[in-house]
Structures are given as C-alpha cells and as structure tokens.
Amino acid sequence: MALASIPAVVLGSIAFTVFWMLAVFPAVPFLPVGRTAGSLLGAMLMVVFQVVSPEQAYASIDLPILGLLFGTMVVSIYLERAQMFKYLGRLLSWKSKGGPDLLCRVCFVSALASALFTNDTTCIVLTEFVLKLAKQHKLPAKPFLLALASSANIGSSATPIGNPQNLVIAVESKISFTKFFLGIFPAMLIGVVINVVILLGMFWKQLSSKESEEQKMEVEVTEMEVNSHTFVPARMSHPPPLDSQEMNDVEKNDPRKDGSRQGCAQVSDMKRFLTKKEVFLKGSVYFVSIGMLIALLMGLNMSWTALTAALILVVIDFKDAGPCLDKVSYSLLVFFCGMFITVNGFNRTGIPSGFWNFMEPYSRINHVSGVTVLSIVILLLSNVASNVPTVLLLGAQVAKSAAAVSPKYEARSWLLLAFVSTVAGNLSLLGSAANLIVCEQARRSELHKYTLSFWEHIVFGLPSTLVVTIAGLPLIRA
C-alpha cells in the first residue's frame, strides 16, 4: 500500500500518537483522561481529520471480537460467583512444602487459569490471595507477584480466549480453537517451566530462609486469615445461602416463634432450599463452562459460542441479569471500538505498510534469521505501542508475507505473532494490562500493601522474556 497524501499521513499520525500516548500513559498530566477516553479521542480525530469516513470507521469495528470478549467476561463473572477462583486459591496452599514449592504452584495455577479465563481475570482475583499466602508463610511478596503476572501472560498465550490479542488473531486468521491450542501449547508449557526456573534462581535464598519461633507463631495467626479468604464475588441476582447469624435472626423475628415446632421446621426447610439452589446454580455454571470449552475445541464459532454460554447462565440464574452484567468491563469494549477505528485510520496512511515493506526482506518466516528479526520487531512494538495495536498493525502484513513464501507458513505466522506479542508483555511493567493489575492490586491492598516498581520488574522481566521467547519459537507448529 502506497503512502496516502501528505495531509492524511500527518494528521493520521497525530491522531495515532494521541491514542498511543494515552494508551501507554493513561494519566499523562496535561490530559489525564485514561485509556478508554484516549481510544475514543484517537478514533474521533481520525474521522474529523478525514483520514477515514464515518462509514469506514463503523465498518472497522470488529463485532465478532467484541462478542467474544463480552461472552467470556460474563462467563468469568459467573465462575467467580461459583467460587472457581477460591478453589484455585486453596489449591495453592494445600499441603505446601515451603517457599519454592509455593512459587511453582502459583506459576502453574496462574498459567492454567489464564489459558481458560483470561490473564486479566486471573490476576484480578488471585493477587490478594497470593499476598496473603506470602504473609502466611513469612515470605517476600515480590517473587510471588512476579510469578503471578508473568505466568498469567505466558499461560494466556495458549488459547484464543487467553487474552485480547489472541482473540483478535483467532478471529482474523480463522484458526480453530484446537489448532491454536495445539500449535502454541508446547511453547507455552516450556515457557512456564523456564519462567519458574528463572524465578527460583533469582529468589531461592529468600524463599528458603528459615523462620524463627516467633515468626512461626505469627504464621498460625495469619493461616486463619488465608483459609477464610474470599474473593469479592461478582454480583448475581440469586441470593447466597444464609449464614448462621442470618438464620438466627430469621428465627428470632419469626412471628410464630412461640415454642412451636412448626416455625423451626419452616426455617430449616428454607435453609435446605437455599442450599440446594446454590448447589444447583454452582453446578450449572461449571457444566455450561465445560460445555463452552468443548464447543470451542470442536471448532464452533467462537464469539457465538461464548455469547450462547453467557446467555444460558443468565437464563439459569432466572432473575434480573442487571447486577451480573454490571460487572462486565464495558470500558474495555469501548476501548476496543476506538482502537479498531484508530488503527484502521493509521493503516490507511500507509506508514505501517511502508515499515513492513522495509522489514519484510529481513523477516522471512522460512529462515531462522527471519524469524529472529520478526520476533524482535514484535517484542519492541508490543512494548512501545502495546500488544493489541501491534497485532492489528502487523497481523495481516505478516500473514500475507508468510503465505507468499508458502501457504503452510501463514497459520504459523499468526501463531508466532500470538506467542511473541503475549510473552512480550513480561518485558516491562507497562508491557501488559495483567502486570499493571497485579501492581495496582498489591499497591492498594489494605492489609498486605506492596509496591512493585518498574525497575524491580524489568530486572526479572528482561531475561525471562528473552529466554522464554528463544526457547518457545522452535516449538510453535501450525
């Protein structure tokens, strides 16, 4: 694609720069409007500057991706209400054999949960638990926070529903869920193992330190805190089962509380009914979620599969879905709409095509040197422009170039882009939303506050990203 007219190139670059600046630095002092508003501002400037027409702007919004995002978010909300992540948290602490063992569990549980429920969701619900777990065992929080965020990013690379950029790639490439998973899973698995080894190598002394008797006594106190940990549940319309105090209040306020056995029997029946309903709803959530995964593995349309699963759960809930749907991150959906328009406008300037035309001769996917150069470009762009815009800017160009070499390389180029752009998120604290979520959750924790700095992260993130990428690339198969 040739460069557009000079005014279109200049104005389109200005609009994209505004979007990029607010996406990477959402609290920039002179315009602290945040990522979502920044995305819409970039889209609006593309239309106002006439880089794209209003019709082209609307057409660039990818509804299948938005549907898949919405559906998976709703299913994750119901899974959270069904205490899936609480059970994962308990798995972390069950019969733990010390710091190194605990770190390994955090890495593998985080990777597994992220592949199935997205990396951002996993980090949101597990950060507080990991902080409590570290405090219980008198261990430093830093290695566990790094383990959670980095393993969530690596694990999410294995499935189309693991993170937003994979959603984009799966929809654009039309690669089936099964083919996507089988193509990246070996690289993801070895990546998680390498990540664990690097973490253990960097923090072994801190994880293996002996505790004093006084510390052991403190652990017994905090162990109750960990065991009683509950995640903030997604609000659903059906009521939770009444606890013992509430049941006592019901009994006290019962107008027929006159010693008769009838009143006690009714209260007991109410408690049994609520418990049975909760068990039925919880079982239904797990059953529908497993059915969704099976449907995805069978190759059914991913966005409609996720939407169908979400609506089945809404119907089974059998109450007003408003409280549950309020938990959906609509700001993320709006951010994607603005980003689609902004990136489409920037593509129309011809700058991304010109950049790729310059790099293409050195980035042939059928040579080791070409794969190396391509991976470096993806790593750098993912940390400069963020991974989703990088995928939108480079995806079609990389796939077209790979298909020109041989049709068999096209699918592999998409999978390589998915793996490298995701692992690139571990390079710096700003590399992925999952990193920022863990950092902010830990910083705002009332009882277990910890501030993870940019430099603390990059000292671990740089070697981990490079080694995991190098080790994983040869294992990606289409």
Side-chain angles (χ1 to χ4, degrees), residues 18-309:
V18 171
F19 159 76
W20 172 84
M21 182 175 58
L22 293 174
V24 178
F25 306 106
V28 64
F30 57 86
L31 196 61
V33 296
R35 289 187 175 90
T36 301
S39 173
L40 291 176
L41 181 58
M44 181 270 292
L45 290 176
M46 286 292 183
V47 175
V48 170
F49 291 159
Q50 298 184 350
V51 179
V52 295
S53 66
E55 292 75 19
Q56 290 170 334
Y58 286 126
S60 64
I61 297 175
D62 200 320
L63 291 180
I65 293 175
L66 295 180
L68 185 53
L69 267 175
F70 177 82
T72 53
M73 281 192 282
V74 173
V75 173
S76 295
I77 289 167
Y78 277 94
L79 282 168
E80 184 185 1
R81 177 63 181 85
Q83 299 182 322
M84 163 65 79
F85 296 100
K86 181 177 180 179
Y87 298 144
L88 287 176
R90 287 178 177 175
L91 180 63
L92 292 177
S93 58
W94 183 65
K95 293 185 179 181
S96 173
K97 298 179 181 178
D101 173 53
L102 205 57
L103 188 77
C104 293
R105 294 188 188 201
V106 169
C107 287
F108 284 104
V109 169
S110 173
L112 174 63
S114 297
L116 299 177
F117 312 116
T118 78
N119 54 353
D120 293 352
T121 300
T122 298
C123 290
I124 287 171
V125 298
L126 287 185
T127 299
E128 183 72 16
F129 188 92
V130 166
L131 286 171
K132 290 184 177 182
L133 206 58
K135 180 182 178 182
Q136 175 204 349
H137 292 271
K138 286 297 171 183
L139 294 168
K142 184 169 93 170
F144 292 96
L145 295 176
L146 291 173
L148 175 62
S150 60
S151 298
N153 286 329
I154 297 172
S156 71
S157 67
T159 64
I161 60 175
N163 56 62
Q165 64 268 20
N166 280 13
L167 294 177
V168 173
I169 289 171
V171 172
E172 293 293 324
S173 67
K174 296 180 173 56
I175 297 175
S176 69
F177 188 99
T178 303
K179 186 175 182 179
F180 195 108
F181 174 73
L182 294 177
I184 295 183
F185 177 75
M188 182 275 284
L189 187 60
I190 195 67
V192 174
V193 172
I194 290 172
N195 197 53
V196 170
V197 172
I198 293 175
L199 283 164
L200 290 176
M202 294 182 71
F203 300 103
W204 182 268
K205 289 184 179 180
Q206 299 177 46
L207 295 172
S208 303
S209 60
K210 301 293 182 180
E211 296 176 354
S212 66
E213 292 300 320
E214 181 181 355
Q215 288 174 326
K216 290 180 180 179
M217 292 178 65
E218 291 178 5
V219 169
E220 292 178 0
V221 175
T222 57
E223 186 174 2
M224 294 179 61
E225 182 184 359
V226 173
N227 289 337
S228 63
H229 174 77
T230 56
F231 299 111
V232 178
R235 291 183 292 138
M236 290 176 61
S237 45
H238 58 266
L242 299 181
D243 59 25
S244 58
Q245 181 62 42
E246 291 172 321
M247 292 307 303
N248 289 336
D249 292 340
V250 171
E251 292 178 8
K252 289 177 182 178
N253 297 325
D254 191 343
R256 291 162 294 188
K257 176 82 175 170
D258 57 359
S260 67
R261 296 180 179 178
Q262 183 179 3
C264 294
Q266 288 184 351
V267 170
S268 179
D269 289 343
M270 178 188 290
K271 187 172 182 179
R272 280 197 297 268
F273 173 76
L274 290 173
T275 302
K276 288 180 180 178
K277 182 180 180 182
E278 183 73 9
V279 170
F280 169 75
L281 290 170
K282 189 179 294 187
S284 299
V285 171
Y286 294 137
F287 180 78
V288 171
S289 300
I290 292 171
M292 182 186 78
L293 292 175
I294 292 174
L296 292 173
L297 289 171
M298 291 174 61
L300 299 182
N301 183 280
M302 283 188 283
S303 59
W304 280 109
T305 297
L307 287 170
T308 301

Side-chain angles (χ1 to χ4, degrees), residues 356-365 367-374:
W356 179 248
N357 289 337
F358 173 75
M359 295 300 304
E360 184 180 13
Y362 312 101
S363 306
R364 300 286 185 179
I365 198 170
H367 297 295
V368 175
S369 59
V371 172
T372 302
V373 172
L374 177 60

